[in-house]
């Protein structure tokens, strides 16, 4: 009798871990859930199923999907869920993990198929939220909460990858040409303002020419190219020096008489 009592005691003792809940069936009927700790059951009459409440990471295998703009892509994702009602997860569905895996695959195919390729690549956050909301509506009756869904990988056909690369290259070339044209426009406006300034101040052009000569002389070149305006200036300077030299060799005019003296008689006219 003592041995039978010890055996019954051992069969009646159950330990529920902190992350688990125990669903107890008594003669086939649910009598409740057991919290973590040491729990006693009626041997043979009570049966307890342990349910984990931890978050489960479930990968969604790659799905071949045709987008709204008729592009074939392979999309894989990952879903995170946890059991919030242990009794429903045991009674309402046979295998909650397999059921969520299947509904996640079909939901992924349905949601991505409603979007174009560009939207699938650029609006992943919105697609993730749509998938999670649809799964939540379905799994709430199973006592399961889907906490997060993320698209993990999007595989494109090789032809589409090449087309997108060409499109990106053309877009960058367009932006480069636009920037170059804007630079040319700004440079032309600045040159126009500079030319107006030089026209108002003629010496500014000569100073610019001298600055160009200084810049040329930095490289210690043996050949110096004089701009045309500077050559004309040198010619004008030579004409000025010649004029001054001729003026210096001319005789000075006679000074007029002073102190009451009479003027010299005029020269006789020549016949």
């Amino acid at each position: 009798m003592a041995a039978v009592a010890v055996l019954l005691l051992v069969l009646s003792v159950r330990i529920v871990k902190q992350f688990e809940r125990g669903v107890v069936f008594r003669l086939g009927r649910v009598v409740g859930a057991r919290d973590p700790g040491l729990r006693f059951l009626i041997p043979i009459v009570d049966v307890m199923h342990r349910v984990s409440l931890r978050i489960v990471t479930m990968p969604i295998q790659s799905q071949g999907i045709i987008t709204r703009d008729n592009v074939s892509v392979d999309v894989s994702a990952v879903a995170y869920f946890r059991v919030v009602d242990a009794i429903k997860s045991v009674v309402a569905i046979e295998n909650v993990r397999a059921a969520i895996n299947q509904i996640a695959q079909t939901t992924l195919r349905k949601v991505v198929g409603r979007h174009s390729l560009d939207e699938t690549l650029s609006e992943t956050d919105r697609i993730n939220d749509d998938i999670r909301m649809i799964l939540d509506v379905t799994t709430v009756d199973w006592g399961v909460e889907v906490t997060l869904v993320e698209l993990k990988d999007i595989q494109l056909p090789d032809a589409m990858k090449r087309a997108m690369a060409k499109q990106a290259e053309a877009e960058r070339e367009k932006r480069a040409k636009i920037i170059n044209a804007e630079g040319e426009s700004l440079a032309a406006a600045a040159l126009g303002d500079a030319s107006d300034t030089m026209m108002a101040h003629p010496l500014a052009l000569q100073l610019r020419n001298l600055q160009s000569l200084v810049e040329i002389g930095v490289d210690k070149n043996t050949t110096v190219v004089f701009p045309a305006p500077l050559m004309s200036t040198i010619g004008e300077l030579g004409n000025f020096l010649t004029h001054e030299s001729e003026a210096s060799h001319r005789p000075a005019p006679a000074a007029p008489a002073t102190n009451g003296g009479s003027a010299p008689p005029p020269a006789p006219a020549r016949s």
Side-chain angles (χ1 to χ4, degrees):
M1 293 295 294
V4 172
V6 171
L7 179 61
L8 292 176
L9 179 62
V10 171
L11 293 176
S12 65
V13 174
R14 295 290 186 274
I15 296 177
V16 181
K17 297 179 181 179
Q18 180 65 38
F19 56 86
E20 292 178 337
R21 294 293 183 272
V23 180
V24 178
F25 290 84
R26 181 168 297 166
L27 297 178
R29 298 182 61 183
V30 176
V31 295
R34 298 293 185 263
D35 293 331
L38 182 63
R39 299 290 177 252
F40 294 93
L41 306 177
I42 300 176
I44 302 174
V45 177
D46 292 345
V47 177
M48 186 175 69
H49 291 271
R50 291 183 175 86
V51 179
S52 175
L53 303 183
R54 291 179 294 183
I55 295 178
V56 179
T57 302
M58 183 186 66
I60 304 174
Q61 64 182 1
S62 180
Q63 302 291 311
I65 305 172
I66 298 178
T67 61
R68 189 178 61 185
D69 50 352
N70 296 326
V71 178
S72 178
V73 295
D74 292 333
V75 181
S76 61
V78 59
Y80 299 86
F81 69 91
R82 64 187 182 93
V83 176
V84 294
D85 191 330
I87 296 178
K88 285 184 179 181
S89 66
V90 175
V91 177
I93 192 166
E94 180 179 359
N95 189 334
V96 64
R97 185 183 180 92
I100 294 177
N101 188 17
Q102 295 298 319
I103 193 65
Q105 292 182 19
T106 57
T107 303
L108 175 65
R109 187 180 297 109
K110 179 173 61 177
V111 172
V112 175
R114 293 201 301 256
H115 295 78
S116 64
L117 178 61
D118 292 339
E119 293 174 349
T120 303
L121 296 175
S122 61
E123 300 180 4
T124 55
D125 292 339
R126 185 161 65 90
I127 294 176
N128 295 335
D129 292 338
D130 293 342
I131 297 174
R132 185 184 61 81
M133 292 176 61
I134 294 174
L135 291 178
D136 273 340
V137 173
T138 305
T139 60
V140 67
D141 295 332
W142 304 343
V144 176
E145 177 188 9
V146 179
T147 59
L148 183 65
V149 176
E150 291 287 340
L151 297 182
K152 186 169 62 175
D153 189 19
I154 301 176
Q155 293 290 336
L156 301 177
D158 293 338
M160 183 58 62
K161 291 181 180 179
R162 290 192 295 269
M164 294 177 65
K166 291 180 180 179
Q167 180 183 2
E169 184 178 359
E171 182 67 24
R172 291 188 178 91
E173 289 181 356
K174 181 186 74 173
R175 278 186 277 177
K177 290 180 180 179
I178 292 174
I179 294 173
N180 188 21
E182 291 177 352
E184 292 290 341
S185 177
L186 294 176
L191 289 175
D193 294 339
S195 63
D196 293 339
T197 303
M198 290 181 180
M199 289 296 293
H201 303 280
L203 292 179
L205 181 60
Q206 304 304 326
L207 293 176
R208 186 68 184 89
N209 292 331
L210 293 176
Q211 184 180 358
S212 299
L213 291 177
V214 172
E215 293 175 355
I216 293 174
V218 172
D219 297 333
K220 298 180 181 180
N221 294 331
T222 57
T223 302
V224 178
V225 179
F226 291 93
L230 184 61
M231 295 300 295
S232 62
T233 303
I234 294 175
E236 293 175 358
L237 181 61
N239 294 334
F240 175 76
L241 294 177
T242 302
H243 178 71
E244 291 294 328
S245 177
E246 292 177 354
S248 63
H249 288 84
R250 292 176 185 173
T258 58
N259 297 329
S262 60
R270 295 182 181 178
S271 58

